[in-house]
């Protein structure tokens, strides 16, 4: 039976997306759309290894690091869950943090280690907690993990203080769910277990025993329009899309140097659209949020 992670009930709202193989149904009680059948891709990490090229993660890393630097003191210890090849960790380190990472995809974990980063090459749930961190950070994982409530709760034993910081980026949707498809023609039901509205994300944090202490949101209208334009141009040239293709990272590494530079330049411009002045123009498009939260004092470590 499908369970809504925002309220613990059964999603009974409209189907907001559907493909031949899956559908995403909205829970009208809390605003989270759940995919059925649920994707099970942990055994296909090699296939998913390069869902995005490295430039996709590296381009906004410095921006996220500056945001986190406003929430934690210099020298704070930050653990990144799902750190990939380490671009974000390197940006955190450049901002004065002491860093460590966890990454389940073997080749990306190896690249992070080659860059001199301390990374555990396994799933977060398989690691033994060490309560030495001032903050735990992750990017875009809440739509992919099997149980996001438990995933968030499991971060508490890693924190040096009971109210240590949990920070993350997550996509969310505002307005009527039926309008989402105007912006996202292919939401990726094969890898996304759920999709959040702002209301649904708030319910999720509450169930995990977290209270939001800081949030920045960015309208993705300009970013989405640019990605579509680039995709259309590449399709006209008979080339693979720049994002969402499992082969993209491999293509980037094997491409001529000039093509690699062009892709990196494209990702830098896309990141500027995603977090820059254009993201402050309301368009009704999906949004991306940077959220910082702390555990409620009434939640004990034993409950996690």
């Amino acid at each position: 039976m499908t369970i809504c992670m925002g309220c613990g009930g059964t999603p009974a709202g409209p189907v907001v997306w559907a493909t031949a193989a899956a559908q995403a149904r909205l829970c009208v009680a809390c605003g989270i759309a759940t995919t059925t059948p649920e994707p099970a891709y942990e055994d296909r990490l090699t296939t998913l290894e390069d869902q995005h090229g490295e430039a996709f993660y590296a381009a906004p890393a410095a921006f996220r690091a500056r945001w986190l630097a406003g929430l934690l003191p210099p020298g704070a210890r930050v653990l990144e869950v799902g750190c990939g090849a380490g671009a974000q960790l390197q940006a955190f380190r450049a901002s004065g943090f002491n860093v460590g990472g966890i990454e389940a995809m073997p080749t990306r974990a190896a690249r992070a280690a080659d860059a001199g980063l301390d990374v555990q090459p396994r799933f977060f749930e398989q690691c033994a907690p060490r309560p030495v961190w001032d903050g735990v950070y992750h990017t875009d994982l809440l739509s992919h993990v099997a149980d996001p409530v438990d995933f968030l709760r499991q971060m508490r034993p890693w924190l040096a203080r009971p109210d240590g910081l949990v920070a993350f980026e997550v996509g969310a949707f505002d307005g009527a769910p039926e309008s989402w498809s105007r912006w996202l023609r292919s939401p990726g039901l094969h890898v996304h277990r759920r999709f959040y509205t702002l209301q649904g994300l708030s319910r999720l944090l509450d169930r995990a025993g977290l209270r939001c202490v800081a949030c920045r949101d960015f309208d993705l209208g300009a970013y989405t329009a640019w990605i579509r334009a680039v995709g259309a141009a590449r399709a006209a040239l008979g080339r693979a899309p720049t994002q969402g293709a499992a082969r993209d990272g491999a293509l980037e590494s094997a491409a001529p140097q000039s093509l690699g530079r062009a892709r990196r330049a494209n990702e830098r411009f896309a990141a500027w659209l995603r977090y820059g002045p254009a993201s402050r123009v309301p368009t009704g498009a999906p949004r991306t949020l940077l959220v910082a939260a702390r555990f409620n004092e009434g939640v004990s470590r034993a409950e996690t």
Side-chain angles (χ1 to χ4, degrees):
M1 181 177 64
T2 301
I3 300 296
C4 174
M5 289 298 168
C7 61
T10 301
V15 173
V16 292
W17 276 308
T19 66
Q23 65 180 22
R25 184 179 294 277
L26 182 73
C27 175
V28 293
C30 70
I32 295 177
T34 303
T35 301
T36 55
E38 180 179 287
Y41 51 85
E42 283 83 353
D43 58 343
R44 296 190 290 113
L45 290 177
T46 301
T47 304
L48 296 173
E49 180 68 38
D50 288 307
Q51 187 76 7
H52 297 292
E54 290 302 329
F56 175 82
Y57 300 100
F63 176 85
R64 295 178 184 133
R66 289 193 297 271
W67 172 73
L68 194 64
L71 299 169
L72 290 171
R77 296 157 295 183
V78 176
L79 174 72
E80 183 181 9
V81 180
C83 65
Q88 189 62 64
L89 283 179
Q90 292 185 74
F92 285 154
R93 188 165 58 184
S95 295
F97 295 130
N98 295 302
V99 301
I102 298 172
E103 173 55 49
M105 295 183 180
T107 58
R108 285 192 171 174
R111 290 202 293 275
D114 289 343
L117 297 165
D118 180 14
V119 174
Q120 299 185 58
R122 53 182 61 88
F123 283 105
F124 173 67
E125 295 83 356
Q126 297 171 340
C127 298
R130 292 184 297 128
V132 300
W133 304 98
D134 300 301
V136 179
Y137 175 84
H138 53 92
T139 295
D140 195 30
L141 291 182
L142 290 182
S143 293
H144 300 279
V145 295
D147 187 336
V149 173
D150 186 63
F151 178 69
L152 290 170
R153 287 175 178 167
Q154 289 300 321
M155 293 178 181
R156 188 158 194 173
W158 292 83
L159 295 166
R161 294 168 51 91
D163 63 344
L165 195 74
V166 174
F168 56 89
E169 182 167 0
V170 63
F173 301 88
D174 204 0
E178 291 79 3
S179 68
W180 298 355
S181 59
R182 295 204 310 261
W183 296 96
L184 291 181
R185 296 172 183 168
S186 177
L189 298 183
H190 64 298
V191 292
H192 289 86
R193 286 186 163 109
R194 57 196 53 82
F195 302 88
Y196 298 98
T197 62
L198 299 176
Q199 173 199 8
L201 183 62
S202 177
R203 292 289 296 270
L204 182 75
L205 291 176
D206 186 62
R207 287 197 73 202
L210 286 160
R211 68 187 188 281
C212 180
V213 296
C215 180
R216 290 192 64 181
D217 69 289
F218 308 88
D219 187 288
L220 296 180
Y223 169 83
T224 303
W226 174 254
I227 294 302
R228 283 186 180 178
V230 171
R234 291 178 66 88
L237 294 172
R239 299 173 63 172
T242 54
Q243 293 187 22
R247 301 182 305 276
D248 190 53
L251 286 171
E252 180 172 300
S253 63
Q257 187 176 6
S258 59
L259 178 58
R261 285 198 299 267
R263 289 187 176 182
R264 288 190 289 273
N266 171 61
E267 291 294 359
R268 286 194 295 271
F269 182 68
W272 180 78
L273 290 175
R274 183 167 178 155
Y275 304 102
S279 69
R280 293 192 284 275
V281 178
T283 67
R287 314 179 76 79
T288 189
L289 283 71
L290 289 172
V291 178
R294 295 186 183 275
F295 284 100
N296 297 318
E297 294 182 4
V299 179
S300 68
R301 286 179 182 265
E303 290 180 78
T304 63

